[in-house]
Amino acid sequence: MLEKLSRAGRVGINVNGDLPEKEIAELSSFLSERVKIIWIGENPLFADPFRVAEIVAENFEHLVGFGVLTPRRNAKEIYENFKKLEKEYGERFILGVASGGFKLKDYEKFLKKLREKFEEILCGVTWLKSYEIAKKYCSGILLNHVYPKHVEVFRDFEGFKAAYGPALILPSEFYQDLIIACSIVMQTSKDFLKKFGYYEAYEKIREVKIEELIKRRQRGENLESYGEYKKLKATAEKILEFFTISGKLEDVSNRIKELLSLCDHVVLGDPFFRDKKSVEKISLLLSHPGLS
């Protein structure tokens, strides 16, 4: 897998399975000449990531990564689906699995079973407890962090290391989705939130029904007058800098450059792929020195 990842380039894009299949195909085709890897996320509200991987692979010439598969699946199911993809589309898939949703002892058992079937895997990492387990079993880590001071904590890791988080070039019609994504990624580890002083912000939004907001956005609703979103926005806008890669083109470029001084790869996560204006600027973004 490490040899594969040497072909991934410095920047990849996340594509989730809640777009129509035709749009996923068109987006994948467009990105085929612009990036070397597309990462696919998993969420109960999205289409099956293995189905999304098929659509991407049919329209995209390069690597396809799972970033990340969740505890909804066991090791046997993951292996069978992964091998089916390789048989159909070639050995260009990267396996990444989540740590969230597990008790730590169950997470370690899960990774042990995966290592019986896969020589190398990537592990999603939120904070130190999941990191200590990941170091035992994983060839690389997908950090749920895109702020340099957060990423610096993992500087001793010797394998492949990627910073993976919400991204968007602003202004954008998908700003509300950025606020939602920011709020999701910050709700990871209480130890992390307390260490960096975000716990008070977390307390303010912990009861917000994020899933309901996602469903409303999937229906195309504007959330500005919706009470739950107002509560989220009031807090999230203050912490966008710490949990997203967002701003004007130059701001996004500078953050990516800073992150690449600390890790091997940066993944522009949801909602970047939703915004045609952001996607259309990817070539311009990657034309900056050090980002190709």
Side-chain angles (χ1 to χ4, degrees):
M1 181 183 293
L2 294 180
E3 187 279 326
K4 290 182 190 176
L5 286 168
S6 69
R7 308 195 308 270
R10 302 284 273 162
V11 180
I13 294 181
N14 164 247
V15 175
N16 288 333
D18 58 342
L19 291 181
E21 291 192 356
K22 182 181 178 182
E23 289 187 29
I24 294 173
E26 291 172 350
L27 176 60
S28 301
S29 179
F30 179 83
L31 291 174
S32 194
E33 297 181 4
R34 292 162 176 83
V35 297
K36 299 300 182 183
I37 187 167
I38 288 176
W39 297 90
I40 298 166
E42 179 171 15
N43 184 296
L45 300 177
F46 302 162
D48 187 301
F50 288 104
R51 173 56 188 151
V52 178
E54 289 180 344
I55 301 166
V56 171
E58 287 170 358
N59 297 278
F60 184 73
E61 299 176 2
H62 311 291
L63 299 174
V64 181
F66 290 98
V68 287
L69 296 179
T70 70
R72 297 167 63 200
R73 305 167 190 279
N74 59 43
K76 182 175 182 291
E77 180 185 356
I78 290 172
Y79 178 78
E80 290 175 349
N81 280 283
F82 196 89
K83 288 303 177 181
K84 181 180 177 182
L85 285 172
E86 286 191 327
K87 183 178 180 181
E88 186 71 23
Y89 302 103
E91 296 183 4
R92 55 190 177 105
F93 296 89
I94 308 293
L95 176 62
V97 295
S99 59
F102 284 99
K103 292 181 179 178
L104 289 177
K105 63 179 182 179
D106 294 330
Y107 180 49
E108 188 155 11
K109 289 179 182 177
F110 175 65
L111 292 181
K112 283 181 179 179
K113 290 181 179 179
L114 278 178
R115 283 304 305 271
E116 292 173 1
K117 299 177 179 297
F118 292 91
E119 184 176 347
E120 294 180 312
I121 56 178
L122 302 182
C123 291
V125 169
T126 55
W127 198 232
L128 300 180
K129 291 179 180 179
S130 60
Y131 177 54
E132 290 304 315
I133 295 175
K135 286 196 294 186
K136 299 178 186 178
Y137 301 98
C138 300
S139 308
I141 54 176
L142 299 173
L143 296 171
N144 197 28
H145 298 289
V146 289
Y147 189 62
K149 286 187 178 180
H150 304 164
V151 175
E152 281 178 353
V153 174
F154 306 93
R155 59 185 175 273
D156 66 321
F157 186 75
E158 296 180 356
F160 176 84
K161 181 166 53 180
Y164 196 139
L168 194 62
I169 297 173
L170 300 174
S172 170
E173 63 180 297
F174 291 91
Y175 182 73
Q176 293 176 5
D177 302 277
L178 183 71
I179 292 292
I180 293 170
C182 170
S183 304
I184 291 172
V185 298
M186 75 165 291
Q187 298 185 46
T188 51
S189 162
K190 290 184 180 179
D191 290 340
F192 159 73
L193 295 172
K194 290 176 179 177
K195 177 177 175 60
F196 285 96
Y198 307 127
Y199 194 77
E200 184 178 343
Y202 162 76
E203 287 279 274
K204 291 179 180 178
I205 63 173
R206 63 184 299 182
E207 301 300 328
V208 173
K209 298 175 181 178
I210 302 287
E211 188 172 298
E212 177 61 28
L213 296 181
I214 294 173
K215 289 178 179 177
R216 285 175 176 267
R217 285 299 291 160
Q218 287 177 331
R219 295 194 296 265
E221 294 184 24
N222 186 327
L223 303 178
E224 283 300 331
S225 61
Y226 188 57
E228 289 284 277
Y229 174 73
K230 287 182 179 179
K231 187 187 301 184
L232 206 64
K233 182 180 178 182
T235 298
E237 283 188 324
K238 299 175 183 178
I239 55 175
L240 280 179
E241 177 186 1
F242 309 112
F243 292 92
T244 74
I245 304 172
S246 60
K248 296 179 180 178
L249 182 70
E250 197 67 27
D251 299 325
V252 172
S253 172
N254 288 337
R255 171 58 63 83
I256 294 172
K257 288 178 186 177
E258 192 172 3
L259 288 168
L260 288 174
S261 71
L262 300 168
C263 61
D264 304 296
H265 187 77
V266 172
V267 185
L268 302 176
D270 198 345
F272 193 95
F273 74 94
R274 302 181 189 280
D275 184 12
K276 290 183 179 179
K277 291 182 179 179
S278 288
V279 171
E280 287 170 356
K281 291 177 181 176
I282 189 66
S283 294
L284 181 59
L285 178 66
L286 298 183
S287 69
H288 287 235
L291 299 190
S292 59

